Amino acid sequence: YHLVTAAEPKFEEALRRYIYYLTKSDTSPEMTHPDKLKEMDIFACRQNTFTDKIENIVIELKHPNIKIGRNQVNQVDKYLEVILSEPMFNASNMGWEFYLIGKDFDTSGYIERQLESNANHGIKSLIHWSEKGRVKIYAKKWSEIFADFEIKHKYLNDKLQLERKVLISHYSNANEVIKLAADNTAV
């Protein structure tokens, strides 16, 4: 993925950077949507040459004191409305995934109801599905993200721990390991 924005610039600046990344054309688009001054926390994209698709991710991170509920989903919905209103963001080969991430869900049950109503798609954490899956919104807790990471990378971590034990048992200090790596012709 290519990081388009991460410092919360306005939508027009995000669109300008996005167009530049995709086309290398430096234009200054003017947006007319009333929420064009909204700011995304993180916006990344990639061009998937195997499927001829442009995959876009928008991440909205919430302070640990703010629990995720209807108001936070409405904020992400506004981002979605701005994007869907702008033709430069909306080619048929552009997919959009929005991630709303916080410490916990609020007690209203709103997120849980959205998760339940979208369970038929078979995608974990999905709270919105539209345009035949071209647009998706997910709500995730930090604990889920860390647990998913641990599960997905357990094999690699175990392998690295094993390699570490081998290195520790064969070499008395770090200098020997560095010399071995420097002498290795496979590097």
Side-chain angles (χ1 to χ4, degrees), residues 18-174:
Y18 184 67
I19 292 168
Y20 183 78
Y21 172 70
L22 295 176
T23 67
K24 302 300 180 225
S25 170
D26 195 10
T27 62
S28 295
E30 283 194 36
M31 300 177 77
T32 58
H33 196 279
D35 291 319
K36 70 180 182 179
L37 299 179
K38 298 289 183 194
E39 303 168 338
M40 299 174 281
D41 287 340
I42 299 172
F43 173 25
C45 70
R46 74 175 171 185
Q47 294 183 35
N48 187 333
T49 55
F50 296 113
T51 61
D52 294 327
K53 298 214 181 273
I54 299 168
E55 300 166 359
N56 302 287
I57 294 177
V58 174
I59 301 172
E60 181 63 27
L61 304 170
K62 290 298 166 197
H63 188 279
N65 293 340
I66 298 173
K67 294 186 177 189
I68 298 173
R70 182 184 304 268
N71 290 339
Q72 291 70 36
V73 172
N74 287 344
Q75 179 183 4
V76 174
D77 279 338
K78 285 183 182 186
Y79 298 163
L80 174 58
E81 288 174 17
V82 173
I83 286 168
L84 293 179
S85 74
E86 181 55 49
M88 296 295 288
F89 277 138
N90 267 305
S92 62
N93 67 335
M94 291 180 178
W96 289 91
E97 292 187 356
F98 296 81
Y99 291 86
L100 177 58
I101 301 171
K103 185 176 178 184
D104 205 358
F105 302 148
D106 69 14
T107 58
S108 70
Y110 180 77
I111 297 293
E112 291 82 356
R113 287 191 302 276
Q114 297 304 310
L115 290 167
E116 184 179 336
S117 68
N118 285 283
N120 62 317
H121 298 293
I123 302 172
K124 185 177 165 185
S125 304
L126 184 70
I127 62 170
H128 174 91
W129 168 285
S130 65
E131 300 194 22
K132 298 179 182 175
R134 189 177 79 81
V135 176
K136 299 176 192 124
I137 300 176
Y138 301 89
K140 289 186 164 280
K141 297 178 186 178
W142 280 110
S143 58
E144 292 176 81
I145 292 171
F146 294 133
D148 288 348
F149 181 86
E150 290 291 324
I151 291 167
K152 288 179 184 175
H153 295 91
K154 183 179 181 344
Y155 172 78
L156 179 61
N157 191 39
D158 290 349
K159 188 79 170 153
L160 289 172
Q161 291 298 326
L162 179 62
E163 189 68 27
R164 181 178 182 198
K165 286 179 185 175
V166 169
L167 289 173
I168 289 171
S169 69
H170 285 82
Y171 303 101
S172 61
N173 63 46

